[in-house]
Amino acid sequence: MQLDEFDRKIVAVLAREGRATAVELSARVGLSPSACTRRLQGLEASGVIAGYRATIDPETVGLGVKAFVEVSLERQNDETLQAFETALAKCPNVLSCHLMSGGSDYLIELVAEDLSDFARLHANTLSRLPGVARIESKFALRQAVDRPLVPIG
């Protein structure tokens, strides 16, 4: 879908303030509420806007440890990849997982209550996933950049 100036403005406002009403959104992008709503529906229907959700601060809900875990598999065939991904998707502590190029097969972002909780996740979940050959964990000390919007300019 080709995005024009108004579409880009709508997406930019919603990326920062997902709860903006149609009236607020229309005022910020310079369109009437009905025109803004039609464009918004078009952006949703085309998949440009994939969904809406609240952003939860992990620390405030008792998940103060964020780790990035690199996993290498024994084999990289479709069956092993699918089995790994299916099993990993059942772990609620996993925030994201990416199939990677380079030295490891997957990069997993996850949260845990504390280091003991992470050790439990490592021993009881990560190391028992199908096809796992090697795990390397790195812990986030603080977040330096957080952008809710993919650059669409």
Side-chain angles (χ1 to χ4, degrees):
M1 173 177 187
Q2 188 69 24
L3 301 181
D4 67 14
E5 175 187 350
F6 290 111
D7 294 329
R8 292 178 198 287
K9 286 180 181 179
I10 289 169
V11 170
V13 170
L14 287 175
R16 288 187 311 272
E17 301 169 50
R19 293 182 65 170
T21 67
V23 173
E24 293 169 338
L25 191 57
S26 66
R28 293 207 183 144
V29 302
L31 290 171
S32 71
S34 60
C36 189
T37 298
R38 280 193 302 276
R39 283 179 176 265
L40 182 57
Q41 290 168 343
L43 291 165
E44 292 168 348
S46 69
V48 171
I49 295 176
Y52 299 89
R53 61 178 144 180
T55 303
I56 309 300
D57 179 357
E59 288 189 37
T60 64
V61 294
L63 298 168
V65 171
K66 182 179 277 189
F68 294 89
V69 180
E70 295 179 12
V71 174
S72 297
L73 300 179
E74 296 166 346
R75 289 177 221 61
Q76 290 79 28
N77 60 32
D78 289 340
E79 183 180 309
T80 304
L81 296 174
Q82 186 61 49
F84 175 84
E85 291 173 14
T86 299
L88 184 66
K90 295 175 184 171
C91 180
N93 294 70
V94 172
L95 301 180
S96 68
C97 176
H98 303 271
L99 180 62
M100 305 295 288
S101 63
S104 58
D105 296 310
Y106 286 96
L107 179 62
I108 302 166
E109 178 184 12
L110 62 81
V111 290
E113 293 174 10
D114 51 30
L115 289 177
S116 295
D117 187 37
F118 177 81
R120 181 191 56 76
L121 283 167
H122 188 283
N124 297 336
T125 302
L126 298 175
S127 65
R128 295 181 183 182
L129 291 168
V132 170
R134 185 183 67 80
I135 299 172
E136 183 176 332
S137 304
K138 298 174 171 121
F139 295 94
L141 301 177
R142 66 179 167 88
Q143 187 167 342
V145 175
D146 180 27
R147 288 194 180 97
L149 173 65
V150 187
I152 58 170

